[in-house]
Structures are given as structure tokens and as C-alpha cells.
Amino acid sequence: MRIVVLDDYLDAVTGSADWSVLPAEVVTINRHIAGEDELVAALAGADVVVATRERTRLGRSVLEKLPRLRLLVTTGMRNAVIDLDAAAERGVLVCGTRGNKRSTVELTWGLILAVTRDIPGQQRSLREGRWQSSLGVGLGGRTLGLLGLGDIGGAMARIARAFEMDVIAWSAHLTDERAAAHGARRVEKDELMARADVVSIHLVLSQRTRGLVGARELGLMQPTAYLVNTSRAGIVDTGALVAALRDGTIAGAAVDVFDVEPVPPDADLLGAPRTVLTPHIGFVTAEEYRLFYGDVVEDISAWLAGSPVRTLNDPEP
């Protein structure tokens, strides 16, 4: 049996689980393959493909060219770039894994502190021989606006209270009672954008949320406010965000997710001022990798034993 693991950028997958329990050859690909023909060639001999989050699109046109494929495992229990129906039609089972959402919460707070205190800029100026180059912004008494109050948003709200911040929240179906249970107050989206000192996004990307934060919403923000996105790039109009940063209509932005990943070196956001940018590392921790790939090995073992677990589709016989 041949297992191919996609997008193992850090060459860390095989060291994060005990793959020796599987009667298989495990091949890891340490770079992103963007072209469909090259991707199909790389996966041509695979019985099992392992996809890390949503790094590579595995749509119908790719799956139809992989007659040997029988199992597809994705980290996490949701992967918007895998065509579950096309896989099922071809008899390919898709399984997922557990995930540790704490790692994204921790990174989000790291980004909030980094952008409001200009930690990267202060470090750069220190290394260049300058001492204290700007005034930071404290969080106590300020308002955190959460777009999304699910598991991650709820954890964000709890930590915000430790910083003595006020918390307001919005999502399409959020109730006053659910917001209050997390120590937040539900407001309408426009009010949140206008009142928050820090707007942090914690929504799933869907047709309803794509482009949710555009030029109009950014225009509602205070010139002293910051935008933080560790969710999905498609929720924010990147062009509008770059324009707002260049025009100074918002104070800054911290971003961990991008329209194209890995990010092209000429991407406009890379050159935008007052930004803290990280390469989609919300889930990239040793603990998360051990959980992800331990579950991947378990998924494959269970499938081989005829009792698959964490299934995401129902293949046709």
C-alpha cells in the first residue's frame, strides 16, 4: 500500500505519529503542488492520500484521474476543497481527525499583542540600534469585537475578560443568551465594526460569509482600530484591506490566512503598512500535529480493519 501525504511543508508529519504500524510505504511531499497535471502525477500510485487542512484542492477533475485511490484522510473534520460527493461516487472514503482549537486562540492573542504593541517593529528597531521607536496600545478597558462566537470565539471572549476588555459579538444566528453565556454582548455587525478597538474574525468560510468584511465594513472602523484574521482569507476583501491600511483609515491588521497559499512574493498585502503577517500557523504546533497525524494513522488502521472511523462521506459500493 502506498500513502502520499500532501503539503508537509516542515517535513514534520512522519515524526508526529508512529507510521510503522501501517503495512505501507509513506511518501511525503514537502512543497505545495499548484498545477493539476503535476498533482495527478504525484498521486497516481497512491492508495491513500493524506491532505493537511485546505492546502490542496482535491476536486472532481483530480479524483477522476486517480483510479487506485481508495481512502482520503484530511486533518480536521471539515475541508472545503475536497469534493466529498465526487469521492463517494468513485468509491473513495473520506475520513477526518480531531483538532485542538486552543492553538488558534493562542496565536490570535499573540497577533493582537504583536500588532497593538508593534512587537515586530520594536524588535527590528532595536536590532538596528534604535531604542523605543513607537507608543503601543494597551488592551485594558478597550473593546474586542468578535465576528463569530463558536468554540474559538467563545475562548477568545473568556481570555479578553482577563485583559479587562469589553466584548461584543456578532454572527448571523447569535442570540443574546449565547453571547451573555460567554461574557459578551450581542450587537449588529455594523455596530461591532464601528465600536470595536480590535475586530477578530472567527467564522467558517461559506457563501454567506465570503466577502463579509469589505470596503464598507472597513470604512465603519475607527482609525485607531485593528483587524485580526486567523479564520479564512475569503471572509475579508483583501484589496479593500490593503487600501484601508495604505490610506490609514484603520490602525493596523494582523493576518494569518491568505487568498493564495503559500503567498506569492508580490502579494499586495506583504507590502501593506502596519501589519503583522504569519504564514497560516494557527494550527502549526507540535501538539496539534501529534493529534492530527496520530488520528490519521488511526483512521488508516481502522479502514484497513474494515471499521472506518470519523467518516465524512458515504462511498458508493
Side-chain angles (χ1 to χ4, degrees):
M1 185 172 66
R2 182 178 175 86
I3 301 170
V4 177
V5 182
L6 290 169
D7 298 300
D8 182 16
Y9 301 151
L10 298 174
D11 196 19
V13 167
T14 53
S16 298
D18 182 8
W19 296 81
S20 68
V21 300
L22 299 173
E25 173 193 16
V26 180
V27 177
T28 61
I29 298 175
N30 305 133
R31 61 186 179 87
H32 179 65
I33 300 176
E36 184 171 304
D37 290 344
E38 185 181 0
L39 177 62
V40 169
L43 301 179
D47 302 284
V48 179
V49 169
V50 178
T52 298
R53 302 296 293 183
E54 296 171 349
R55 292 175 176 176
T56 294
R57 181 171 295 279
L58 294 165
R60 181 177 298 274
S61 60
V62 171
L63 296 173
E64 287 177 344
K65 298 170 184 173
L66 302 174
R68 186 168 162 177
L69 181 64
R70 287 294 172 263
L71 175 66
L72 203 167
V73 184
T74 176
T75 54
M77 291 298 289
R78 180 189 295 115
N79 192 324
V81 298
I82 293 176
D83 190 328
L84 296 177
D85 292 337
E89 291 168 16
R90 300 195 60 78
V92 177
L93 179 67
V94 182
C95 296
T97 72
R98 292 171 295 169
N100 173 10
K101 295 176 180 178
R102 290 192 303 272
S103 58
T104 298
V105 174
E106 292 169 0
L107 178 74
T108 305
W109 279 107
L111 289 175
I112 291 172
L113 292 168
V115 72
T116 56
R117 297 296 295 269
D118 187 28
I119 292 173
Q122 293 286 345
Q123 177 180 234
R124 184 170 55 252
S125 66
L126 176 63
R127 292 180 184 279
E128 293 171 352
R130 288 175 289 138
W131 187 255
Q132 298 185 0
S133 56
S134 64
L135 283 173
V137 174
L139 298 179
R142 297 189 183 271
T143 298
L144 174 66
L146 296 169
L147 292 176
L149 198 62
D151 292 341
I152 293 177
M156 290 292 299
R158 292 192 293 274
I159 294 170
R161 295 201 302 275
F163 282 104
E164 299 183 355
M165 298 183 77
D166 295 323
V167 184
I168 56 178
W170 174 88
S171 67
H173 301 294
L174 180 64
T175 63
D176 292 339
E177 292 75 18
R178 178 172 174 78
H182 289 290
R185 183 169 66 86
R186 188 192 71 83
V187 297
E188 296 302 321
K189 183 180 68 172
D190 284 3
E191 181 182 351
L192 183 146
M193 300 301 296
R195 289 196 56 223
D197 297 294
V198 177
V199 175
S200 190
I201 300 171
H202 303 287
L203 295 165
V204 174
L205 179 62
S206 66
Q207 288 302 112
R208 187 173 59 201
T209 62
R210 185 175 294 278
L212 184 75
V213 178
R216 190 186 75 82
E217 289 75 21
L218 292 166
L220 295 173
M221 292 177 65
Q222 304 172 65
T224 54
Y226 299 85
L227 181 75
V228 181
N229 188 7
T230 56
S231 183
R232 288 294 182 267
I235 296 171
V236 178
D237 181 332
T238 301
L241 175 58
V242 170
L245 290 163
R246 288 177 175 169
D247 295 342
T249 56
I250 65 173
V255 176
D256 185 51
V257 288
F258 301 86
D259 294 319
V260 177
E261 297 182 358
V263 180
D266 60 349
D268 289 341
L269 191 55
L270 295 183
R274 300 181 309 285
T275 55
V276 176
L277 309 175
T278 50
H280 204 157
I281 57 171
F283 63 92
V284 183
T285 66
E287 295 80 7
E288 189 86 339
Y289 266 45
R290 285 195 292 269
L291 179 60
F292 276 167
Y293 297 106
D295 277 6
V296 167
V297 171
E298 183 178 275
D299 285 354
I300 298 171
S301 296
W303 170 70
L304 287 171
S307 302
V309 294
R310 292 183 286 267
T311 59
L312 301 178
N313 72 343
D314 186 14
E316 297 180 3

